[in-house]
Amino acid sequence: MPRSIWKGSISFGLVQIPVALYPAEEPDELHFTQLDRRTMAPIRYERVNRETGEPVSWDDIVRGYPYEKGEYVVLSDEDLRRANVEATQTVDILDFVDASEIDPIYYDKPYFLAPASQNGKKRSPVTAYVLLREALRKTGKVGIAKVVIRTREHIAAVRPHGRGLVLNLLRFAHELRSDEELDLPEMDAQGKGLGKRELEMAERLVAEMATAWEPEKYKDEYRDDVMKLIEKKVKSGRTTAPAEPVEEERHRRATGTVDLIALLKKSLGQKGEKAANDEANNGAKDGRRAPEEGGKSRVRKAEAPKRKGRSSRRAA
């Protein structure tokens, strides 16, 4: 079981629910070590005193806020907790809103909220936890809360997820840039050279490619390709010498006028061809015959057993 990073309670109205906070993500990233290309020795980064140049251990490092040039106020973890004890120990739900009203651009990082024991009780008070979970599920609402995690206050959404509750950190509105800074086309599609036919074909292509959301089918293929390259280098013995950059032929798409109708037709054709191939493959697996062009089934006559001739008997 993962270790909790925070313990406190969810507060809405007069209800207090003891909870523990757990990371809900496990990034599967490739980590590289920076090397000196001359000797292939790893590069080391040290914590050093700017004045003396001497290394400093973690035990001797404290947190300081610069209030003037060269002057700092030192704050300990206890100081930060005492600044607002309730804020550092409470997921304080301020409002309940429709889940559909939150633009996905606001979502940042997810955490699991699990019931936690309190005051030495052996059993967690799950009744209030289940009460909040089911109330959110039945109303379609999410709780908008404030919570302090690692010395910073966040706004968050508390929502039901399976048997539990998830706390999704949200970005504050002032943290998001406005798209007014960008040169974007207006909302009027007809006024930007798009005809009714192009739009209808695009909608048809979207409809043909529509499917149920299955997150498990999407994989990090680039990571797999990089790992294959690493394994290939290991097998070949070329593990330290960096490869010289290779000039590859790049096929750039023309930036001029694009025939959208032709591209949409080709895309629709590829989609139909893929669906037909998938159906044929599935039919082969199920023992069914794949249809030929024109809708006629391809019937293959069973080969008659070969009759043994005189020559075979003589050979025997």
Side-chain angles (χ1 to χ4, degrees):
M1 183 176 180
R3 294 180 58 184
S4 65
I5 64 171
W6 180 94
K7 284 189 176 181
S9 62
I10 299 175
S11 171
F12 68 106
L14 299 177
V15 180
Q16 296 283 333
I17 308 172
V19 292
L21 197 68
Y22 297 89
E25 61 177 356
E26 191 174 7
D28 188 17
E29 300 177 357
L30 290 173
H31 296 280
F32 297 94
T33 300
Q34 291 186 326
L35 307 173
D36 185 334
R37 67 176 299 144
R38 299 167 299 178
T39 63
M40 291 297 139
I43 304 298
R44 183 174 63 187
Y45 294 90
E46 295 181 331
R47 299 173 299 278
V48 298
N49 186 308
R50 289 186 182 179
E51 295 181 357
T52 66
E54 296 293 327
V56 181
S57 67
W58 281 115
D59 294 337
D60 293 327
I61 295 177
V62 295
R63 185 185 295 107
Y65 179 82
Y67 67 95
E68 287 183 6
K69 186 176 181 180
E71 300 293 334
Y72 302 88
V73 173
V74 176
L75 295 172
S76 66
D77 291 340
E78 182 60 24
D79 289 331
L80 293 172
R81 192 188 71 83
R82 284 203 308 262
N84 189 330
V85 176
E86 185 177 358
T88 59
Q89 296 180 346
T90 308
V91 178
D92 188 17
I93 296 180
L94 309 174
D95 302 292
F96 291 98
V97 303
D98 288 337
S100 59
E101 291 184 2
I102 304 177
D103 192 313
I105 197 173
Y106 283 95
Y107 283 101
D108 187 9
K109 191 173 185 178
Y111 291 91
F112 287 126
L113 285 167
S117 59
Q118 193 178 42
N119 298 329
K121 295 181 180 179
K122 292 184 179 180
R123 297 189 62 184
S124 302
V126 299
T127 304
Y129 182 92
V130 173
L131 176 68
L132 176 59
R133 183 191 69 192
E134 294 308 306
L136 293 175
R137 192 189 312 281
K138 291 183 180 297
T139 60
K141 304 287 187 181
V142 297
I144 302 300
K146 282 192 173 183
V147 59
V148 174
I149 301 176
R150 297 193 178 104
T151 75
R152 183 191 172 191
E153 185 174 64
H154 301 267
I155 186 173
V158 178
R159 57 185 181 85
H161 180 78
R163 294 184 297 128
L165 290 171
V166 165
L167 180 139
N168 254 111
L169 297 186
L170 302 175
R171 298 178 177 91
F172 285 100
H174 68 267
E175 294 178 317
L176 295 173
R177 290 181 173 177
S178 171
D179 61 6
E180 295 297 329
E181 305 172 7
L182 306 176
D183 184 16
L184 301 176
E186 298 298 327
M187 294 295 290
D188 182 16
Q190 300 293 336
K192 292 298 178 183
L194 284 180
K196 184 178 180 181
R197 188 181 177 195
E198 287 103 332
L199 189 56
E200 289 176 350
M201 293 183 70
E203 291 173 356
R204 180 183 163 194
L205 179 58
V206 170
E208 288 190 2
M209 295 179 65
T211 184
W213 168 238
E214 299 177 17
E216 294 80 9
K217 79 176 185 179
Y218 303 102
K219 307 296 181 182
D220 186 353
E221 297 178 357
Y222 179 73
R223 183 187 187 281
D224 294 340
D225 292 339
V226 173
M227 287 305 302
K228 289 178 182 177
L229 177 62
I230 292 173
E231 292 170 2
K232 184 178 179 181
K233 279 179 169 286
V234 170
K235 289 181 179 179
S236 66
R238 295 182 294 109
T239 57
T240 56
E244 294 296 326
V246 178
E247 289 293 333
E248 296 182 355
E249 182 181 355
R250 297 182 180 180
H251 301 280
R252 300 181 181 274
R253 294 185 179 180
T255 57
T257 304
V258 178
D259 188 348
L260 287 176
I261 291 291
L263 292 177
L264 288 168
K265 283 183 177 179
K266 187 175 181 180
S267 299
L268 287 167
Q270 289 178 344
K271 182 64 179 176
E273 183 179 350
K274 182 178 182 299
N277 291 336
D278 291 343
E279 184 178 354
N281 292 334
N282 293 333
K285 291 179 181 178
D286 298 338
R288 293 181 274 112
R289 297 186 179 93
E292 284 187 335
E293 294 183 4
K296 296 181 181 180
S297 298
R298 180 180 299 170
V299 180
R300 185 176 181 180
K301 294 182 180 180
E303 295 182 359
K306 296 182 179 179
R307 297 177 61 183
K308 295 182 179 180
R310 294 179 180 177
S311 58
S312 61
R313 286 198 298 270
R314 290 175 182 172

